[in-house]
Amino acid sequence: MTETTPNKLEVAGLRAWFGTTRALHDIDLVLPERRVTAIIGPSGCGKSTFIRCLNRMHETVPAARVEGRVMLDGADIYAPGVDPVSIRGRVGMVFQRPNPFPTMSIFENVAAGLRLNGIRPSRDDLAGIVEQSLRQAALWDEVKDGLHASGVSISGGQQQRLCIARTLAVAPEVVLMDEPCSALDPIATTKIEALIHELREKYTIVIVTHSMQQAARVSDVTAFMYLGRLVEFGPTQKLFTTPERKETEDYITGRFG
């Protein structure tokens, strides 16, 4: 990350709760535009909660609430009058396990992303968007002759790329990925990681990962979280080789986690 890299998201004093249980404590973080930011830390440290706050998905959980600011291009996504659905169109999410709609075809799964966001292009435009999205997700060549097959008829790795295509179809600016490879085999994981490298040319990507090796491979900057707090944040290579905090060093060397 250089001084000329603009920040796409700026998080200030972010706090989150599930009922009376506090999940995040005063997170301050800047996420650079068109870079890959990895969020690492042990299970239960607040990684997934944090990224769900970046597109207002945390508040969809009953009794969950958020305080603090999340600035997207300088505008607070939690400001009064901001439509959460519009934010989720700009900040898309890919979940831990592939979740294509089982009753829909591959084509319909990609198109569903548009319909869920109220986008209804013409039939010709829709076909073009579906093809473009599948190409961006490096899946087109594998499924182009079977677009009307069920979205769950393909392999797990292909299903995850299908879900990425569904997210890309609405032309988001930021793509959040919550442990996208945790349910995949090594070959499928390699394909997803290669895809992340390609997508970073156009999108700001935030990936939660349980794998420090994966964070080192795919990210430009890394944030280490522990017990709902941000412990350290910086360029990935520096954080993994010369961390500033002892907690970070203990985690990446396997002393806990």
Side-chain angles (χ1 to χ4, degrees), residues 42-117:
S43 297
C45 72
K47 303 185 299 294
S48 295
T49 299
F50 172 70
I51 66 164
R52 288 174 66 89
C53 290
L54 300 181
N55 71 344
R56 298 193 57 170
M57 286 200 67
H58 178 67
E59 65 197 72
T60 64
V61 178
R65 62 188 177 94
V66 176
E67 292 180 1
R69 292 186 301 160
V70 176
M71 312 295 285
L72 176 60
D73 289 336
D76 189 359
I77 69 172
Y78 286 96
V82 175
D83 179 13
V85 175
S86 70
I87 296 300
R88 292 171 200 142
R90 296 177 65 190
V91 185
M93 174 82 81
V94 177
F95 296 95
Q96 183 173 1
R97 292 187 176 276
N99 60 342
F101 300 120
T103 61
M104 293 185 182
S105 68
I106 292 169
F107 184 99
E108 291 167 339
N109 261 279
V110 180
L114 296 163
R115 298 190 181 103
L116 289 171
N117 283 272

Side-chain angles (χ1 to χ4, degrees), residues 12 22 25 37 45 56-57 70 80-81 85 92 101 120 134 144 150-151 164 172 174 188 212 240:
R22 190 162 178 173
H25 298 259
T37 300
C45 72
R56 298 193 57 170
M57 286 200 67
V70 176
V85 175
F101 300 120
R120 301 190 180 280
L134 288 169
K144 62 183 179 181
S150 168
I164 293 172
V174 181
M212 287 179 283
F240 278 101

Side-chain angles (χ1 to χ4, degrees), residues 203-217:
Y203 303 96
T204 299
I205 298 174
V206 185
I207 177 171
V208 166
T209 177
H210 66 283
S211 167
M212 287 179 283
Q213 293 84 3
Q214 182 173 72
R217 288 192 298 265

Side-chain angles (χ1 to χ4, degrees), residues 36-40 205-209 215 218-224 236:
V36 180
T37 300
I39 312 294
I40 64 170
I205 298 174
V206 185
I207 177 171
V208 166
T209 177
V218 305
S219 69
D220 301 288
V221 290
T222 296
F224 168 54
T236 296

Side-chain angles (χ1 to χ4, degrees), residues 13 35 37 62 86 130 141 175 188 234 240 251:
R35 295 289 188 273
T37 300
S86 70
V130 169
D141 289 340
V175 178
F240 278 101
Y251 180 69

